[in-house]
Amino acid sequence: MLTGIQIAVIGGDARQLEIIRKLTDLDAKLSLIGFEQLDHAFTGAVKEKIDEVEFSNKDVIILPVPGTSSDGQIETIFSNEKVYLRKEMLNETPEHCTVYSGISNSYLDGITKQANRRLVQLFERDDVAIYNSIPTVEGTIMMAIQHTDTTIHGSTIAVLGLGRVGMSVARTFQALGAKVKVGARKSEHIARITEMGLTPFYLSDLENEVKDADICINTIPYMIVTASVISKMPVHTLIIDLASKPGGTDFRYAEKRGVKALLAPGLPGIVAPKTAGKILANVLSQLIKEDVKK
């Protein structure tokens, strides 16, 4: 149980509702910031505005999956008001206060470091990333079906990257009957791709490998699908970029050439917010319990 633990949940989308539900069930006391348009009421949770929050008693601050923008703004689906997280707010919190976010950026890294508060990035954890790969794959399949006029079965699909998401994507599309090739940089990843019964290639050969691709799925969070790569693709190729914003695709050139390119980060929160929220809620509640015991 989390009886007596004071938690501020700031902004977010439908995934946060599962987190709020789980934490209130565990008897934590929640301040909900950026939720004034939410009709549902949770016992043990109070809706507040950011300037009304008493940060001095907060043990935990929970941010949405994207964290903050580069100037500290927090995404608030259930509010029209702009909400910002400032260093001064963190300075008011007790020294043991922990900030949880899906991902981070230089701004969030900076203010937590300056305030000397611990920042936990949930999406850096293997368990969260692997669980999240399930709704990500389902969303990717949905997009592939919606934006092509051929079946996945028999299509040639190039998956870029063999991380936690790339591995799940490649395995699932293979199971659907696609001809899957996977690009990686490391020789051990090439070996794993081979062991999985997929066709491996080094990313240095990417321009040659996309010449017959019907769908190109990128999971690498830096510019990899360049204008030069896109120029070698068939015009009918569909690019689905799963990397975090701004993705790893030259979307400007793709549009110029007439190649359909879709940036699709955060698919779990779009296609399966309840499941994605439960994943985060379970991990968060366990982490907070462990902190309480220290």
Side-chain angles (χ1 to χ4, degrees):
M1 298 297 286
L2 297 175
T3 304
I5 302 299
Q6 297 270 358
I7 301 175
V9 180
I10 308 178
D13 53 26
R15 286 174 285 189
Q16 302 302 92
L17 303 185
E18 295 301 321
I19 293 171
I20 294 166
R21 185 173 289 111
K22 178 82 172 182
L23 295 178
T24 53
D25 285 348
L26 291 171
D27 202 30
K29 289 194 67 176
L30 271 61
S31 297
L32 308 182
I33 300 101
F35 289 90
E36 63 266 16
Q37 293 180 353
L38 180 66
D39 293 331
H40 189 85
F42 295 92
T43 304
V46 179
K47 296 175 187 176
E48 296 184 72
K49 294 194 175 181
I50 191 78
D51 54 3
E52 298 172 345
V53 177
E54 189 178 341
F55 283 99
S56 61
N57 66 6
K58 294 294 175 278
D59 303 298
V60 173
I61 294 174
I62 298 175
L63 303 179
V65 168
T68 70
S69 67
S70 58
D71 64 350
Q73 186 172 355
I74 296 173
E75 183 182 72
T76 53
I77 300 299
F78 300 103
S79 173
N80 287 327
E81 293 195 8
K82 291 186 177 180
V83 175
Y84 292 86
L85 183 68
R86 302 297 187 199
K87 181 187 70 173
E88 293 73 21
M89 298 170 182
L90 296 182
N91 285 337
E92 292 179 29
T93 62
E95 290 183 3
H96 66 266
C97 179
T98 301
V99 179
Y100 292 94
S101 178
I103 59 175
S104 188
N105 57 21
S106 57
Y107 176 87
L108 185 54
D109 286 343
I111 63 170
T112 50
K113 188 174 182 179
Q114 290 166 27
N116 196 26
R117 297 296 180 265
R118 189 162 72 102
L119 172 64
V120 176
Q121 297 180 55
L122 297 173
F123 276 33
E124 284 194 346
R125 293 177 57 92
D126 283 337
D127 52 0
V128 173
I130 291 168
Y131 284 133
N132 255 311
S133 70
I134 299 167
T136 297
V137 170
E138 291 190 13
T140 307
I141 293 168
M142 176 189 74
M143 296 182 75
I145 292 170
Q146 287 177 338
H147 295 280
T148 58
D149 55 8
T150 56
T151 60
I152 291 173
H153 188 283
S155 295
T156 298
I157 297 180
V159 177
L160 310 185
L162 194 73
R164 295 159 299 197
V165 172
M167 186 176 290
S168 296
V169 167
R171 183 188 296 120
T172 306
F173 275 84
Q174 180 194 38
L176 291 173
K179 293 174 282 189
V180 180
K181 59 174 77 174
V182 183
R185 294 191 187 279
K186 298 179 180 179
S187 59
E188 58 264 37
H189 287 174
I190 295 294
R192 176 60 66 191
I193 294 162
T194 304
E195 182 273 330
M196 292 171 66
L198 305 169
T199 302
F201 67 89
Y202 282 98
L203 288 171
S204 55
D205 297 328
L206 182 55
E207 290 187 16
N208 289 324
E209 295 293 341
V210 297
K211 289 179 179 178
D212 62 346
D214 299 304
I215 301 174
C216 179
I217 302 171
N218 177 51
T219 69
I220 300 171
Y222 56 83
M223 184 57 65
I224 184 81
V225 188
T226 61
S228 182
V229 171
I230 295 169
S231 70
K232 305 297 192 300
M233 293 178 175
V235 178
H236 73 266
T237 302
L238 170 67
I239 301 170
I240 302 176
D241 198 322
L242 302 177
S244 55
K245 290 181 181 178
T249 299
D250 188 334
F251 292 97
R252 180 202 62 82
Y253 183 77
E255 183 177 6
K256 179 179 179 180
R257 185 157 183 262
V259 172
K260 186 177 287 186
L262 308 171
L263 179 59
L267 273 180
I270 297 170
V271 301
K274 192 175 186 71
T275 298
K278 284 182 176 179
I279 292 167
L280 295 173
N282 290 336
V283 172
L284 264 171
S285 59
Q286 188 60 42
L287 289 175
I288 295 170
K289 281 181 186 177
E290 291 172 2
D291 281 345
V292 170
K293 292 177 183 177
K294 291 178 181 177

